[in-house]
């Protein structure tokens, strides 16, 4: 099945984007962690200064599954900066449900890499859970390197409660 | 010691560039720095900047041995979590060695936190090298947690030839 279509996300896609985000979180056994709402996605992705960009994969009506979804994949990305090498494209989320094996994932990744190159990004970055062997293999087959393993980078985070404490430091 | 924390301006790019190189040297990777002062000026201070900066400055009488008053910096930008929404990413945090231990690093990080919260962010993310014990200890003391260790998330990168091939659809 090759007639899926990749396009830039529009405001009307927000319900599908949230549905797919929750599907991906469920796959990582983290569904209860998703607190983002459709309103957040709309305000943050389609205002004057978007925090993210999104590419959608959809299929024509005759290929829709029983539930009737035409949007079957998405990738959420934004631009970041490395003071050593400049602009980067950061792939935040990436999911293609139901139709795995039809090359949709590869096609989305190709589109994003093309976006990275066209925007003069020297690299595309993302994180993968080490337990997600299928994804790690998928990316390594395409030339990605594991910075955590190879260079010892560890991702750290401060959540809201400690962020508030930190911001109050005099 | 007296110091001020303020937003970086175009004029600070010379010192930011100097300190980026100092930080790269500390991380044993100074040959990897390709960005120049001019790149910083264009990428950080045009209409749609790719990053924001804050500077730590000391008064005249506390200047460094080589005569620098700008003794620390942080570079940050806004990102997005598909689970939690707006987030702030602290790309660089650096204080010159002779000015460490005086609360400047914490003050810089505090400023990034304030700015992030003001912009509606619910988390601050950054990366640390696993051999950098003093930094790891500092961050853990501030209430940060190690996502790589706790959730097993690995930072991945696709660059150079691999990125080009991917863009062309080669496998």
């Amino acid at each position: 099945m090759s007639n899926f279509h990749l396009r830039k996300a529009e405001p009307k896609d927000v319900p599908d984007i949230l549905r797919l985000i929750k599907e991906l979180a469920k796959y990582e056994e983290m569904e209860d962690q998703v607190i983002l709402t459709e309103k957040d996605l709309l305000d943050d992705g389609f205002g004057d200064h978007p925090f993210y960009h999104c590419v959608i994969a959809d299929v024509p009506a005759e290929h829709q599954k029983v539930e009737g979804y035409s949007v079957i994949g998405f990738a959420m990305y934004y631009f970041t900066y490395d003071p050593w090498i400049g602009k980067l494209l950061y792939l935040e989320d990436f999911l293609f449900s139901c139709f795995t094996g039809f090359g949709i994932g590869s096609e989305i990744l190709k589109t994003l890499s093309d976006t990275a190159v066209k925007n003069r990004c020297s690299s595309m970055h993302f994180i993968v859970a080490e337990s997600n062997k299928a994804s790690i293999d998928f990316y390594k087959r395409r030339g990605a390197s594991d910075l955590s393993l190879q260079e010892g980078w560890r991702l750290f985070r401060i959540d809201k409660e400690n962020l508030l404490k930190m911001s109050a430091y005099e | 010691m007296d110091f001020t924390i303020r937003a970086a301006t175009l004029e600070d790019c010379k010192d930011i560039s100097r300190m980026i190189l100092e930080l790269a040297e500390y991380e044993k990777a100074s040959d990897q720095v390709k960005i120049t002062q001019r790149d910083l000026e264009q990428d950080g201070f045009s209409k749609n900047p790719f990053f924001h900066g804050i500077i730590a400055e000391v008064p005249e009488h506390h200047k460094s041995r080589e005569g620098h008053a700008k003794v620390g910096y942080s570079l940050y930008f806004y990102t997005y979590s598909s689970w939690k929404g707006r987030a702030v990413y602290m790309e660089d945090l650096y204080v010159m060695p002779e000015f460490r231990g005086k609360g400047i690093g914490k003050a810089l990080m505090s400023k990034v936190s304030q700015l992030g919260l003001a912009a509606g962010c619910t988390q601050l993310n950054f990366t640390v090298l696993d051999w950098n014990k003093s930094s790891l200890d500092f961050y853990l003391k501030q209430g940060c947690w190690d996502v790589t260790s706790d959730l097993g998330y690995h930072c991945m990168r696709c660059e150079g030839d691999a990125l080009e091939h991917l863009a062309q659809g080669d496998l």
Side-chain angles (χ1 to χ4, degrees):
Chain A
M1 195 244 339
S2 59
N3 45 345
F4 60 88
H5 170 233
L6 287 186
R7 58 174 175 79
K8 217 169 129 180
E10 292 161 45
K12 68 177 170 88
D13 296 315
V14 157
D16 282 299
I17 295 172
L18 189 57
R19 171 178 60 82
L20 290 168
I21 285 172
K22 287 184 172 164
E23 219 174 283
L24 181 52
K26 203 166 156 184
Y27 175 67
E28 293 186 10
E29 289 164 13
M30 300 273 206
E31 208 184 350
D32 57 321
Q33 297 284 321
V34 181
I35 60 169
L36 206 59
T37 63
E38 283 181 18
K39 183 176 188 312
D40 294 326
L41 281 171
L42 204 58
D43 291 342
D44 298 338
F46 299 93
D48 289 328
H49 299 286
F51 278 79
Y52 70 88
H53 305 281
C54 216
V55 162
I56 295 286
D58 65 18
V59 292
E62 61 266 29
H63 288 287
Q64 285 177 26
K65 295 200 89 181
V66 171
E67 309 86 75
Y69 299 126
S70 69
V71 174
I72 51 106
F74 85 109
M76 179 186 271
Y77 67 95
Y78 40 83
F79 295 101
T80 63
Y81 198 78
D82 180 323
W84 295 2
I85 53 175
K87 275 169 74 175
L88 308 174
L89 187 146
Y90 187 86
L91 178 52
E92 168 64 28
D93 244 6
F94 176 33
L95 175 73
F96 36 101
S97 67
C98 329
F99 297 91
T100 57
F102 287 101
I104 298 177
S106 295
E107 199 58 35
I108 294 181
L109 212 55
K110 173 177 179 296
T111 301
L112 289 180
S113 311
D114 195 49
T115 302
V117 170
K118 284 206 170 90
N119 280 275
R120 290 176 294 110
C121 297
S122 36
S123 187
M124 187 162 74
H125 283 210
F126 46 100
I127 54 172
V128 193
E130 68 193 356
S131 55
N132 192 344
K133 298 273 176 267
S135 292
I136 293 186
D137 288 341
F138 174 85
Y139 292 123
K140 278 194 160 160
R141 267 206 308 275
R142 285 155 179 80
S145 45
D146 184 335
L147 298 181
S148 291
L149 269 184
Q150 285 176 17
E151 294 178 17
W153 288 105
R154 316 195 71 80
L155 176 64
F156 268 59
R157 175 170 300 160
I158 304 190
D159 295 314
K160 185 128 190 224
E161 194 193 315
N162 285 304
L163 205 58
L164 283 160
K165 284 190 196 151
M166 168 119 278
S167 71
Y169 172 71
E170 290 294 327
Chain B
M1 175 185 278
D2 232 356
F3 59 87
T4 49
I5 304 288
R6 58 166 178 80
T9 62
L10 193 74
E11 291 67 42
D12 293 318
C13 287
K14 181 162 183 238
D15 283 278
I16 295 175
S17 188
R18 167 182 59 84
M19 288 190 278
I20 284 172
L21 276 163
E22 285 174 23
L23 178 51
E25 261 158 44
Y26 174 70
E27 290 176 4
K28 306 169 189 172
S30 45
D31 57 321
Q32 291 182 39
V33 180
K34 310 283 179 249
I35 289 289
T36 63
Q37 178 185 327
R38 180 110 185 81
D39 293 323
L40 290 175
E41 286 166 2
Q42 279 178 345
D43 297 339
F45 298 90
S46 56
K47 186 163 167 271
N48 294 305
F50 288 96
F51 67 87
H52 307 284
I54 48 173
I55 296 282
E57 203 163 15
V58 295
E60 277 288 316
H61 54 276
H62 277 136
K63 273 180 164 175
S64 76
R65 277 189 290 270
E66 283 117 22
H68 300 298
K70 295 168 200 180
V71 303
Y73 77 99
S74 178
L75 291 190
Y76 66 95
F77 42 79
Y78 296 104
T79 60
Y80 206 71
S81 156
S82 55
W83 295 355
K84 315 273 190 216
R86 298 181 188 188
V88 58
Y89 190 88
M90 186 172 70
E91 172 64 33
D92 267 2
L93 175 67
Y94 175 76
V95 177
M96 290 170 65
E98 68 187 274
F99 294 91
R100 289 182 196 158
K102 303 178 195 316
I104 297 178
K106 191 165 177 194
L108 282 164
M109 200 165 170
S110 176
K111 191 68 184 171
V112 174
S113 307
Q114 284 168 31
L115 293 163
L117 283 164
C121 301
T122 55
Q123 55 180 235
L124 165 67
N125 293 304
F126 53 98
T127 54
V128 192
L129 284 163
D130 59 8
W131 54 257
N132 193 346
K133 184 123 194 0
S134 58
S135 292
L136 288 166
D137 289 342
F138 169 78
Y139 292 126
L140 289 168
K141 236 178 36 199
Q142 310 313 317
C144 309
W145 55 281
D146 185 340
V147 178
T148 299
S149 194
D150 294 1
L151 295 181
Y153 282 140
H154 284 216
C155 304
M156 310 280 289
R157 172 177 61 202
C158 203
E159 62 178 352
D161 285 345
L163 188 62
E164 295 278 348
H165 288 146
L166 206 50
Q168 280 154 40
D170 307 339
L171 183 57

